[in-house]
Amino acid sequence: MSELTEKTLADATVEWTQRTRPSGGSPIGSTGLRTRADAALPERFRRSAAAVGSGAGMSTRDFSGWLAERSAAHPFRVHRIPFDQLEGWSFAPATGNLAHVSGRFFTVHGVRVRVAEGAHDWQQPIINQPEVGILGILAKEFDGVLHFLMQAKMEPGNPRLVQLSPTVQATRSNYTQAHGGGAVKYLDYFTGRRPARALVDILQSEHGSWFLHKANRNVIVETREDVPPDPDFCWLTLGQLGELLLWDNVVNMDARTVLACVPNLPAEPEALSSDTELLSWVTTEKARHQVRVEPLPLAGVDGWVRTGTAIRRPDNRFFQVVAVRAEAANREVAGWTQPLFEPSATGVVAFLAGRFGGVPHLLVQARAEGGFLETVELGPTVQCVPDNYRGDAAPAAPRFLDLVLNAPPHTIRYSALHSEEGGRLLNAVSRYLVVDIDVDAAGLTTPPPGYRWVTPGQLNWLVRRSRHVNVQARSLLTPFNGGAVKL
């Protein structure tokens, strides 16, 4: 990767221009803000990542009290219900597919996935939501430091219900108010109706194991307007967000994936592979995998049974589909019912970290998942739920799982519990880990096929390409971007 020209903040002066907009607004970037040097963006993000402990809004020390206050300010309740108590949702008589009466939001149907490499063939329920959502963070500079407007948001699947989310976290059905509820706050900054300049704007996939071809717009826009935060919102620096990523179940998945796209990590000139070689390897992996995904009626998915309260496997492995009733007084709709996917147990998401010539590298894998639009995306070294691979009838455990689970404490450079997408997944929690290894002692100087050593800077570069790095790897890259992990 070519080294970006370093400039001082003074040299990276941002020109703010107001233009007359036609009725109805205009695309982001065409009005409001311009910059003379986008090459200065990494330095601006690094300056924000260095601002730890406090910012223009609140100190990191005061954050837990603020989050508890916001959690207590509104009644939040979620409880399980049988399928026949779902309101507006029903199983289609002919297919058994679970869908909303409006035809919006999402549908649960079945798929058959065939992966030629390894002769994998399985069937499962999957979420089909053929619309692009917005995961947007509003940025503003205070005293020369970028701050990010974050929201204390309730999601029915979150283990603590209220977590820190992007400024805007909404599906198209939500922000077009298909639910008949209130408007999404601050949405105008992401639709061109208010002046803002895009700093990051990338389409990224969601969980390929549970969503079919789902993508979200991961976007950060900057404004110079005075933006008084709503009581449920706060301004934080990237460094403060890095500090909060050390806490369990605080920064939600939607915030983590957007923050992973920040162009913050510098290039490592002595990486094992050049950027061109790395991109060629990724392209080769995408081309060599053959993944066929066929839609199936939910009622016809082999190996799954439906009861009055769940759709699950008889062995209770992997996940189940359940229904809940949710109440949240500060959401666009105060109460609703919906299906959720619930994993069987806590997962493990881990990078093995090694050094080559003193340069830190992370071991990534080319993962084939049934929901990806393309065949593979780069994932962490290990990504699984260990309980699924225990017992006599269990499938073989993923490669390197034992190495991660048995890692000595002094080799663990990062460890935190983080939940996955709380709007569609219930209690989907994984322990995110970065584990140092001696590459030579582990026999991993040359990794096995489908794995590759990349530097954190290279992974940060790849994330800025759509559908190259999966959401779990992006989540685990975010602590690097926020300064919580330094190798």
Side-chain angles (χ1 to χ4, degrees):
M1 190 187 331
S2 298
E3 195 73 44
L4 294 173
T5 303
E6 297 292 340
K7 297 194 176 187
T8 65
L9 290 174
D11 290 334
T13 302
V14 176
E15 294 180 341
W16 305 85
T17 61
Q18 285 290 127
R19 301 178 188 169
T20 303
R21 287 178 296 168
S23 176
S26 55
I28 290 174
S30 67
T31 67
L33 309 178
R34 281 189 315 197
T35 184
R36 284 202 297 250
D38 278 349
L41 275 178
E43 180 57 35
R44 298 182 70 205
F45 283 115
R46 289 172 201 151
R47 183 179 177 88
S48 183
V52 298
S54 63
M58 72 173 73
S59 69
T60 311
R61 182 178 56 189
D62 292 337
F63 174 83
S64 59
W66 175 82
L67 187 63
E69 175 192 329
R70 300 325 303 161
S71 299
H74 311 283
F76 297 121
R77 285 185 288 271
V78 176
H79 59 271
R80 297 170 189 261
I81 58 174
F83 288 128
D84 62 12
Q85 290 185 21
L86 282 169
E87 298 167 1
W89 295 84
S90 61
F91 292 97
T95 63
N97 294 346
L98 182 54
H100 194 263
V101 65
S102 67
R104 306 289 295 276
F105 304 107
F106 62 94
T107 301
V108 180
H109 62 77
V111 289
R112 180 177 184 179
V113 183
R114 302 178 188 180
V115 181
E117 293 72 24
H120 299 301
D121 187 336
W122 73 91
Q123 298 182 22
Q124 66 167 88
I126 202 162
I127 298 168
N128 190 344
Q129 187 171 351
E131 57 182 33
V132 176
I134 294 177
L135 305 180
I137 296 178
L138 184 62
K140 182 177 169 61
E141 200 170 88
F142 296 92
D143 299 323
V145 178
L146 280 174
H147 286 63
F148 305 93
L149 187 61
M150 309 300 292
Q151 176 183 182
K153 186 178 179 70
M154 178 271 193
E155 292 289 342
N158 287 343
R160 293 172 60 170
L161 289 184
V162 179
Q163 295 188 16
L164 204 59
S165 85
T167 318
V168 169
Q169 175 186 321
T171 65
R172 179 176 292 275
S173 293
N174 284 337
Y175 68 75
T176 57
Q177 297 174 271
H179 45 50
V184 175
K185 295 171 183 175
Y186 304 108
L187 179 66
D188 285 353
Y189 287 102
F190 302 91
T191 59
R193 295 182 179 274
R194 299 199 69 86
R197 183 174 73 90
L199 306 182
V200 168
D201 204 343
I202 310 165
L203 281 179
Q204 298 286 14
S205 63
E206 278 208 46
H207 299 83
S209 296
W210 296 313
F211 292 87
L212 182 64
H213 301 169
K214 181 72 173 69
N216 288 312
R217 183 178 170 210
N218 288 225
V219 56
I220 300 175
V221 300
E222 183 183 8
T223 185
R224 271 193 77 187
E225 290 192 327
D226 184 23
V227 187
D230 179 276
D232 290 325
F233 293 72
C234 66
W235 292 103
L236 297 168
T237 67
L238 185 55
Q240 288 181 287
L241 289 164
E243 292 176 305
L244 297 178
L245 284 163
L246 295 168
W247 301 5
D248 290 346
N249 292 318
V250 168
V251 181
N252 81 355
M253 183 223 80
D254 301 280
R256 298 194 306 269
T257 179
V258 178
L259 295 171
C261 300
V262 164
N264 182 39
L265 301 180
E268 299 93 348
E270 297 179 358
L272 281 177
S273 305
S274 70
D275 289 348
T276 301
E277 291 169 335
L278 175 58
L279 195 57
S280 175
W281 177 75
V282 174
T283 304
T284 300
E285 289 295 314
K286 287 178 179 286
R288 82 174 180 88
H289 282 79
Q290 298 179 51
V291 181
R292 294 181 58 190
V293 181
E294 304 168 9
L296 296 174
L298 185 59
V301 177
D302 287 345
W304 293 75
V305 297
R306 178 177 136 194
T307 69
T309 57
I311 301 169
R312 59 178 178 79
R313 287 167 51 105
D315 61 9
N316 292 318
R317 296 187 196 274
F318 300 108
F319 66 91
Q320 62 177 351
V321 184
V322 298
V324 301
R325 182 179 301 278
E327 299 175 26
N330 67 338
R331 289 287 298 265
E332 294 83 15
V333 174
W336 69 95
T337 64
Q338 69 170 95
L340 291 172
F341 279 36
E342 183 179 31
S344 58
T346 299
V348 169
V349 175
F351 277 135
L352 294 181
R355 285 166 180 75
F356 295 84
V359 178
H361 284 68
L362 305 172
L363 188 61
V364 299
Q365 63 166 311
R367 282 186 58 89
E369 297 183 15
F372 288 156
L373 183 62
E374 299 181 17
T375 54
V376 302
E377 294 186 14
L378 297 190
T381 319
V382 173
Q383 174 189 320
C384 71
V385 175
D387 283 7
N388 290 331
Y389 304 95
R390 293 170 179 152
D392 295 337
R399 195 189 297 262
F400 305 122
L401 177 59
D402 285 347
L403 194 58
V404 169
L405 294 181
N406 298 321
H410 72 274
T411 66
I412 298 174
R413 304 300 296 272
Y414 178 79
S415 176
L417 289 171
H418 292 307
S419 61
E420 306 303 334
E421 210 287 311
R424 301 289 178 265
L425 310 175
L426 178 64
N427 298 324
V429 177
S430 293
R431 179 159 294 281
Y432 280 76
L433 297 153
V434 178
V435 178
D436 250 336
I437 64 166
D438 182 319
V439 175
D440 292 328
L444 283 174
T445 304
T446 301
Y451 291 79
R452 186 97 170 187
W453 288 107
V454 305
T455 66
Q458 286 180 315
L459 196 59
N460 186 219
W461 171 70
L462 275 178
V463 163
R464 299 196 295 279
R465 294 172 175 264
S466 293
R467 298 186 177 94
H468 275 57
V469 180
N470 79 356
V471 67
Q472 287 89 348
R474 296 197 305 270
S475 279
L476 197 46
L477 180 65
T478 306
F480 289 84
N481 262 350
V485 180
K486 294 182 174 68
L487 296 179

